[in-house]
Structure formats: structure tokens, C-alpha cells
Amino acid sequence: MFVQVLPTKSAVGKVVAAQVLLDLARTLSAAQTANLAISGGSAAEVVLPELVKSELRYVIDWSAVHLWWADERFVAPSSKDRNDVRALEILAGLIPNVHRIGDSQEFASAEDAAARYSEALKGIRLDIAILGVGSDGHVASVFPNHSSSDNSEQGAMAVYDSPKPPPTRVSLTPPQLASIERPYIVALGKSKREALLAALDPQVSATQLPAKRLPATWYVDLECAGRP
């Protein structure tokens, strides 16, 4: 785990976006495609606009980039609760190859949507991920001491009774998250400080703090770091 402290939320967005773009360019210099996973929340709101604005975007062959979701709320496709609605609005068609997690109109259950996403993920290595972290240390929809901590070898799983609404979700499984080559966790503000401190505490397990499952670089602002 490495922690990069930056002065403001805006600085975090700019630096993470630049790092992701450089990683995409590096990946595409050695492979025909690159796979980027994102979550919703503050990570998407802060980083994705900078991704779209950065001049570094011009060095990427976006037709070779595939976009995946770390988790999704199992609701109607147009619901504002869905992570993909806001993310795709921000990206405005920048990435043409989009792999959505199924919605509640397309599938009868979250298990069915998770099974379909697991099939889509077979043989795929997620190169880069932009992820948020909850104040409780959850990442994607893998929550502390919850059934979502299931270590299924599938790529995706259904999550019920989520501590955060809406209660039914589909998430990448812990092994799938742990296999991401370059995961970046964005933690902003005082509300995420306890999660950061717990991530740095060797006595805290990954079951207690799911974000510890990932060999991630954390990008945090001064408020999160507790610095003046």
C-alpha cells in the first residue's frame, strides 16, 4: 500500500486522471486492448471529468479501451442510483467499449446479472481501476463482515442487504478485485480518515476493512490525511 497526499480534492482528480491515462498508454504499448474498471461515488465525480479534459487523452486509442464496473446497484437502467448513468454522462462517449452490469429490467435477479457479468469477465485481466472507499472501508460493494465478503472464484457476485441503500447490488468479488493490476483508491474528506488509518494499521484484517484486499495506491486530500 502506498499513500499519496495531495492538497485538494481537485488536485486528487487531476493527478489520478493523469496516472490512469499514462497507465492506459503504457498498457496499449504492449497489448491490443486495455481494461479499465471504475466505481461510482466521489471517485467517479472527481476523476472522470479530469480524464475527459486532460490533453493526455489524445495519446490514447480509445477504441482499444474497455470500460468495466466494479459494482452496480441492481435497479432500473435509467435510475439515478446506478453508477453507470452518471459515469457515462461525464465520459460523453469517450470510451466506446462499455460493459455494463445488468439491471433489474434486464434480469430477474441480481444473481442472474452477476452470472452474466462473470461470463463476460472470463479471460479478462483488469489492468487499471479507479475506486472509491467508504467510511467503513468498503470497496465496490464488498462490505466489512458482510456476506459480500464471500471469496467466490466467480468474477462477480450478487449482494443483498447492503448497509448502504439501495440494498441489492452486483459487485466484483474479492478475488477479482485483488487481481486488478493497478488499483487506485480515492479517499476524500474527514469522513474517510478512519478508513485510511485502518488501512495503515497492520492489526486490521481485510475482512474488517475490505479495501485492504487490494494492493492499491491511495490518493487522498489533506482533509482525509488529517493534515493542516
Side-chain angles (χ1 to χ4, degrees):
M1 175 182 173
F2 178 76
V3 180
Q4 177 70 59
V5 181
L6 294 161
T8 63
K9 177 170 67 174
S10 176
V12 170
K14 288 179 170 64
V15 169
V16 175
Q19 184 62 64
V20 167
L21 289 164
L22 291 171
D23 285 345
L24 287 171
R26 187 179 303 116
T27 299
L28 291 172
S29 71
Q32 293 185 338
T33 59
N35 292 288
L36 169 65
I38 62 174
S39 63
S42 60
E45 290 286 348
V46 169
V47 178
L48 296 186
E50 299 298 337
L51 202 72
V52 172
K53 291 188 292 184
S54 173
E55 293 187 359
L56 286 171
R57 75 187 188 278
Y58 294 116
V59 306
I60 305 300
D61 175 6
W62 291 101
S63 68
V65 177
H66 290 254
L67 181 64
W68 303 82
W69 263 264
D71 69 324
E72 187 55 274
R73 288 83 179 267
F74 190 66
V75 291
S78 61
S79 171
K80 292 182 179 180
D81 283 332
R82 281 188 68 89
N83 292 328
D84 60 9
V85 170
R86 178 60 180 150
L88 293 176
E89 179 182 294
I90 295 170
L91 290 170
L94 180 67
I95 305 175
N97 302 304
V98 174
H99 303 272
R100 295 174 59 257
I101 294 174
D103 57 70
S104 62
Q105 289 184 8
E106 185 181 4
F107 291 96
S109 69
E111 283 99 340
D112 291 343
R116 178 69 62 85
Y117 216 58
S118 293
E119 283 294 321
L121 283 163
K122 281 186 178 177
I124 298 295
R125 179 176 177 83
L126 297 176
D127 301 296
I128 306 153
I130 305 166
L131 303 166
V133 63
S135 57
D136 60 356
H138 81 265
V139 64
S141 287
V142 180
F143 293 93
N145 303 305
H146 188 269
S147 60
S148 63
S149 296
D150 173 29
N151 281 302
S152 168
E153 292 304 318
Q154 298 298 313
M157 64 185 181
V159 177
Y160 293 99
D161 299 319
S162 161
K164 289 183 65 178
T168 304
R169 301 166 175 233
V170 175
S171 177
L172 298 184
T173 59
Q176 184 73 54
L177 288 165
S179 73
I180 297 169
E181 187 173 351
R182 289 183 292 278
Y184 300 119
I185 289 179
V186 174
L188 303 168
K190 294 178 182 178
S191 66
K192 306 300 174 71
R193 190 178 300 165
E194 289 302 317
L196 174 62
L197 293 174
L200 293 167
D201 185 347
Q203 301 302 315
V204 176
S205 71
T207 300
Q208 296 169 301
L209 194 91
K212 293 191 80 166
R213 295 176 184 271
L214 287 77
T217 298
W218 288 53
Y219 287 89
V220 308
D221 62 0
L222 288 175
E223 279 196 354
C224 179
R227 297 184 187 177

